[in-house]
């Protein structure tokens, strides 16, 4: 769950990604694509779509959001409808990023990814996206709660290795872990 505090950081990171996209001559005129992995109640998809609409009102974009739980999808769809973002957000019921992208994304790569699903799947999903060509040099990847789970040690190491060879830039930002008063969580 990306709440208010983390939402501000995610929105800031997203605006950086939009700036990179807008300055990329190869991508001008193309559709800006966001993959939100782990819809839950739709909050993050709405945050991403509303940030894009506010920051770049003329940008053609789509948010593809994945979720495996049909009850969560039902709630998320109602929230997205209330937010009047149905034309920009598509929810795909799947646990596979490859399935979601092949079903809903016409382009070769995505511009922004938010991982906020099963922590043990972050590395597998990132590597799948890399192998399928969905991650490119200018893709921004944001992952929630990367320091609170032992399952994410290898994910962090993989991203740090990608930084060492110049493929990505990485930064860990510490914030309060949702539903707690004093535990810190990082997102990358």
């Amino acid at each position: 769950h990306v709440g208010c505090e983390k939402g501000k950081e995610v929105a800031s990171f997203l605006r950086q990604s939009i700036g990179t996209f807008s300055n990329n001559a190869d991508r001008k005129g193309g559709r800006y694509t966001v993959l939100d992995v782990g819809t839950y109640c739709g909050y993050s998809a709405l945050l991403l779509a509303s940030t894009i609409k506010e920051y770049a009102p003329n940008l053609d974009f789509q948010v593809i959001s994945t979720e495996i739980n049909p009850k969560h999808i039902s709630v998320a769809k109602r929230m997205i409808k209330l937010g009047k973002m149905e034309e920009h957000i598509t929810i795909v019921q799947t646990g596979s990023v490859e399935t979601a992208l092949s079903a809903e994304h016409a382009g070769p790569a995505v511009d922004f990814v938010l991982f906020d699903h099963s922590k043990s799947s972050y590395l597998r999903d990132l590597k799948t996206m890399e192998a399928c060509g969905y991650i490119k040099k200018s893709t921004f990847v944001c992952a929630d709660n990367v320091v609170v789970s032992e399952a994410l040690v290898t994910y962090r190491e993989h991203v740090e290795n990608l930084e060492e060879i110049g493929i990505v830039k990485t930064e860990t930002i510490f914030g309060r872990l949702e539903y707690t008063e004093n535990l810190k969580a990082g997102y990358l």
Side-chain angles (χ1 to χ4, degrees):
H1 171 69
V2 176
C4 184
E5 179 184 349
K6 286 190 238 177
K8 290 175 186 172
E9 296 293 340
V10 171
S12 174
F13 196 51
L14 179 61
R15 287 189 293 272
Q16 289 176 45
S17 172
I18 294 167
T20 299
F21 174 86
S22 298
N23 292 325
N24 185 338
D26 294 336
R27 298 286 291 149
K28 281 199 179 181
R31 177 177 258 195
Y32 182 81
T33 303
V34 175
L35 178 64
D36 172 30
V37 187
T39 299
Y40 188 48
C41 66
Y43 177 84
S44 56
L46 282 165
L47 170 74
L48 295 164
S50 63
T51 298
I52 296 167
K53 284 198 63 89
E54 180 181 308
Y55 184 71
N58 297 319
L59 185 62
D60 179 25
F61 74 94
Q62 96 182 103
V63 175
I64 301 166
S65 196
T66 70
E67 178 58 57
I68 58 174
N69 186 320
K71 289 180 183 177
H72 293 170
I73 291 171
S74 177
V75 171
K77 284 184 175 181
R78 288 194 306 263
M79 297 300 291
I80 290 163
K81 186 173 182 174
L82 284 170
K84 298 182 173 139
M85 291 289 185
E86 309 95 79
E87 75 177 87
H88 296 291
I89 301 171
T90 303
I91 299 176
V92 181
Q93 184 174 354
T94 183
S96 164
V97 294
E98 186 176 9
T99 299
L101 289 168
S102 64
E104 297 296 331
H105 178 53
V110 297
D111 301 290
F112 188 92
V113 180
L114 174 61
F115 286 134
D116 191 12
H117 62 308
S118 169
K119 307 310 174 219
S120 62
S121 299
Y122 280 24
L123 181 60
R124 179 201 67 210
D125 289 345
L126 179 61
K127 285 184 172 183
T128 296
M129 292 181 71
E130 289 174 53
C132 293
Y134 291 118
I135 300 291
K136 61 186 183 323
K137 192 167 185 166
S138 61
T139 300
F140 280 61
V141 179
C142 183
D144 192 23
N145 296 337
V146 296
V147 297
V148 297
S149 172
E150 284 298 313
L152 293 173
V153 170
T154 53
Y155 172 85
R156 289 192 315 268
E157 290 170 350
H158 179 73
V159 172
E160 289 163 1
N161 289 335
L162 292 175
E163 181 176 42
E164 286 178 19
I165 59 176
I167 294 175
V168 303
K169 292 181 193 172
T170 184
E171 176 183 6
T172 302
I173 301 168
F174 290 90
R176 188 177 56 80
L177 181 62
E178 62 267 12
Y179 315 117
T180 68
E181 290 300 318
N182 58 8
L183 288 178
K184 296 289 183 180
Y187 29 102
L188 200 44

